[in-house]
């Protein structure tokens, strides 16, 4: 295979053109046949299934023209995301839960608890401390996201306002987003909810934050490493198993924990604001 074609060739094309040792060809065929599953297996796990060393697995990836196993797995993962429509993702989640609604319910709860556990493990304490510092130092907090994430942004805004923190929820898309981005100002801090990819709306929101030199707290599933140079803190909230229907339980739990941590850091202000809210509610009761 010519070198200038390697970078754009798919795995099946590389497999057909590459000269591989028998063991390496077994590895290549495994990845080609088990793409969705193999995308999330380590070299040791693949080697164990095939009775080969992890070094052989890595050599096979390089023999196919990849920089390493990581690049091959990334290609498989991206292919899976492109093929996994919402209906397909939901179908996979329903199959994993079983045939009875009660079994699906129990399975979903167990998965959410596991995602929350993983969120706690993957979010570094330093990022949490930095996120709280950013929120405390901002004149106003801007929470940005679309779709289900937009609803979570509205929730964050409501909670922070009750804690006495001016907050704006940015949830529009397309040209309507421009009117909300126009409201951003120096002194704001941005909480951006963007999970597995940064779409045009998210990109423009992040770009506007950069133009105004706003500190950014990212709440994400997998985007943390790729956006590390554009955000000040990254909090990890898994949303689904591979190719399954995305959920927001871990994201909501993480945001609730962040809000409570902020309230703890701003205890007098938060309690005073909630006391004022109680007084206003009392005056509105008949």
């Amino acid at each position: 295979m010519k070198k200038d074609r390697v970078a754009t060739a798919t795995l099946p094309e590389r497999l057909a053109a590459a000269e591989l040792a028998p063991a390496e060809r077994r590895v290549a065929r495994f990845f080609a046949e088990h793409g969705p599953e193999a995308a999330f297996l380590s070299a040791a796990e693949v080697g164990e299934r095939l009775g080969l060393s992890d070094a052989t697995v890595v050599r096979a990836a390089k023999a196919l023209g990849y920089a390493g196993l990581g690049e091959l797995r990334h290609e498989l993962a991206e292919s899976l995301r492109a093929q996994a429509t919402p209906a397909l993702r939901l179908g996979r989640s329903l199959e994993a839960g079983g045939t009875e609604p009660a079994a699906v319910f129990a399975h979903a709860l167990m998965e959410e608890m596991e995602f929350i556990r993983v969120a706690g493990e993957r979010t570094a304490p330093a990022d949490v401390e930095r996120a709280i510092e950013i929120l405390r130092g901002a004149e106003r907090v801007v929470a940005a996201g679309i779709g289900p994430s937009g609803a979570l942004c509205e929730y964050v805004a409501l909670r922070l306002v009750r804690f006495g923190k001016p907050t704006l929820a940015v949830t529009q898309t397309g040209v309507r987003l421009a009117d909300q981005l126009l409201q951003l100002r120096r002194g704001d801090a941005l909480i951006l909810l963007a999970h597995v990819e940064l779409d045009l709306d998210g990109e423009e929101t992040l770009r506007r934050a950069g133009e105004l030199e706003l500190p950014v707290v990212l709440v994400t599933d997998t985007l943390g490493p790729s956006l590390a140079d554009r955000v000040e803190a990254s909090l990890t909230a898994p949303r689904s198993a591979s190719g399954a229907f995305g959920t927001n339980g871990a994201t909501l739990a993480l945001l609730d924990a962040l809000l409570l941590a902020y309230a703890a850091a701003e205890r007098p202000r938060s309690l005073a604001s909630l006391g004022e809210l109680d007084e206003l509610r009392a005056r509105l009761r008949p």
Side-chain angles (χ1 to χ4, degrees):
M1 189 186 305
K2 293 183 179 180
K3 289 185 178 180
D4 59 354
R5 293 183 56 200
V6 168
T8 58
T10 63
L11 175 58
E13 291 171 338
R14 296 175 193 240
L15 178 56
E19 296 182 2
L20 303 172
E24 295 171 347
R25 186 162 294 277
R26 285 180 61 200
V27 173
R29 285 176 175 166
F30 176 86
F31 278 107
E33 294 170 1
H34 301 83
E37 175 190 7
F40 302 94
L41 296 177
S42 67
E45 289 170 328
V46 174
E48 183 178 357
R49 295 195 182 196
L50 297 177
L52 301 170
S53 68
D54 53 353
T56 300
V57 176
V58 174
R59 279 200 308 273
K62 292 182 177 180
L64 289 167
Y66 296 100
L69 181 60
E71 184 180 359
L72 170 55
R73 291 171 58 193
H74 177 74
E75 178 184 306
L76 294 173
E78 288 301 312
S79 175
L80 174 62
R81 291 191 185 102
Q83 296 172 9
T85 63
L88 180 57
R89 289 178 180 273
L90 177 59
R92 287 173 177 162
S93 293
L94 295 178
E95 289 176 3
T99 58
E100 297 297 325
V104 173
F105 176 86
H107 177 77
L109 280 181
M110 291 296 294
E111 280 208 328
E112 291 290 7
M113 287 189 285
E114 175 63 14
F115 293 154
I116 292 171
R117 184 192 66 79
V118 172
E121 287 185 351
R122 293 185 182 175
T123 297
D127 279 315
V128 175
E129 293 174 3
R130 179 59 181 145
I132 296 169
E133 179 184 338
I134 288 170
L135 298 185
R136 295 184 71 189
E139 296 175 9
R140 181 181 64 172
V141 173
V142 177
I146 62 173
S149 293
L152 293 178
C153 290
E154 296 281 1
Y155 173 77
V156 168
L158 176 63
R159 282 295 180 92
L160 282 177
V161 166
R162 288 180 175 179
F163 293 158
K165 191 71 173 184
T167 311
L168 171 69
V170 172
T171 60
Q172 296 293 332
T173 61
V175 294
R176 291 186 295 178
L177 175 61
D179 292 294
Q180 292 195 310
L181 294 182
L182 186 63
Q183 299 177 56
L184 272 61
R185 56 180 183 250
R186 294 185 186 276
D188 287 343
L190 175 66
I191 300 176
L192 178 64
L193 274 62
H195 291 283
V196 296
E197 62 182 355
L198 194 66
D199 57 18
L200 178 60
D201 297 315
E203 175 61 42
E204 287 304 316
T205 301
L206 194 54
R207 181 180 302 175
R208 182 59 174 166
E211 292 171 349
L212 296 173
E213 299 180 335
L214 310 185
V216 179
V217 176
L218 177 68
V219 177
T220 187
D221 187 339
T222 61
L223 285 177
S226 64
L227 296 179
D229 60 339
R230 302 176 68 185
V231 305
E232 279 65 40
S234 180
L235 310 181
T236 302
R239 293 187 68 234
S240 71
S242 171
F245 194 68
T247 61
N248 290 286
T251 305
L252 179 57
L254 185 148
L255 290 171
D256 267 336
L258 180 63
L259 291 168
L260 286 173
Y262 169 82
E266 293 285 344
R267 187 182 303 266
R269 180 181 186 178
S270 299
L271 291 174
S273 182
L274 286 174
E276 188 175 356
L277 175 64
D278 287 339
E279 291 177 5
L280 290 170
R281 284 175 169 173
R283 285 156 50 180
L284 291 169
R285 294 190 184 101

